[in-house]
Amino acid sequence: QEKAFAAAVGSMGVADAAAPLAADIAGMPEVRCARVCLMIHHYDEKVDMHGLCTTKGQPLKRVSFYNHMRSVCAEVSGFLSFGKPGYLLAEGPLLAIEKLQAEVEKFPSWWTAQEKMFQRNKVADLTTWRVFKDFAKVRTEELKELFESMDRNDLYEEVMAGTAMDPKKKLSKGKHR
């Protein structure tokens, strides 16, 4: 095990390398998971219902982006926020998140999305790691309360960093030069 640990440290770092050994000792396999957040300028019901899903070898069809994500990416939890800006935050097994990202690329309204965050983790219990229980629609202006209700202000701050909703951004005094 020492050789395996030394080899892992060389490519990952001490904390990441120690995690698999801790899981082996506990007898629990680790799950590779991820959390991603994408942001677009605005998102509303009209944009959602006019999504075009392109599939290889099949004609374009109009489908709701939200409903498509719920049906195709059932292992993913998180939210799609409607408002300005619009956010897609998804979490789950790494392969499910990668599949979600491939599905997002089929919808032109998301082609200009900015990736705000992409976190990869190895966890012993995916259910405990998750912040969200399912995939839901929310209004952008309700996000702060949503994260506060889950006691995850840290995640809210990470998602909102650099936006008009950034809690660390200083408010202007109304005087512009």
Side-chain angles (χ1 to χ4, degrees):
Q1 279 189 341
E2 288 177 16
K3 287 182 182 179
F5 181 76
V9 169
S11 63
M12 293 190 249
V14 175
D16 291 337
L21 294 177
D24 286 345
I25 292 168
M28 297 182 68
E30 284 197 322
V31 178
R32 291 175 40 191
C33 56
R35 184 175 292 129
V36 65
C37 182
L38 304 174
M39 180 184 80
I40 61 174
H41 183 265
H42 75 281
Y43 202 77
D44 57 27
E45 293 289 340
K46 184 177 178 182
V47 174
D48 186 61
M49 291 308 298
H50 286 93
L52 292 175
C53 180
T54 61
T55 53
K56 291 183 180 178
Q58 296 180 5
L60 294 175
K61 47 185 181 168
R62 292 197 183 277
V63 295
S64 161
F65 177 77
Y66 172 75
N67 289 333
H68 180 74
M69 289 298 134
R70 282 185 57 126
S71 66
V72 173
C73 303
E75 292 182 82
V76 172
S77 59
F79 63 81
L80 175 62
S81 80
F82 286 65
K84 192 173 185 177
Y87 290 95
L88 170 64
L89 189 141
E91 61 185 12
L94 180 59
L95 293 177
I97 295 300
E98 290 172 348
K99 179 180 179 183
L100 175 129
Q101 288 182 300
E103 291 298 318
V104 166
E105 291 175 11
K106 295 177 182 179
F107 288 81
S109 59
W110 285 91
W111 289 353
T112 59
Q114 176 187 357
E115 188 174 285
K116 296 293 294 172
M117 161 182 61
F118 192 96
Q119 301 172 339
R120 291 182 183 166
N121 297 298
K122 289 181 183 178
V123 297
D125 185 6
L126 182 62
T127 305
T128 304
W129 172 81
R130 286 184 192 265
V131 174
F132 303 94
K133 293 180 181 175
D134 56 12
F135 191 74
K137 280 185 192 180
V138 297
R139 302 224 31 89
T140 299
E141 55 269 9
E142 297 169 355
L143 289 178
K144 184 173 176 68
E145 292 84 27
L146 176 68
F147 284 101
E148 285 176 348
S149 72
M150 294 183 228
D151 198 27
R152 288 304 306 261
N153 291 332
D154 60 322
L155 193 54
Y156 176 78
E157 290 174 4
E158 185 172 356
V159 168
M160 298 302 160
T163 70
M165 298 173 68
D166 187 344
K168 294 182 179 179
K169 190 174 186 179
K170 293 183 180 181
L171 299 174
S172 73
K173 306 247 188 225
K175 295 181 182 177
H176 300 283
R177 293 182 180 194

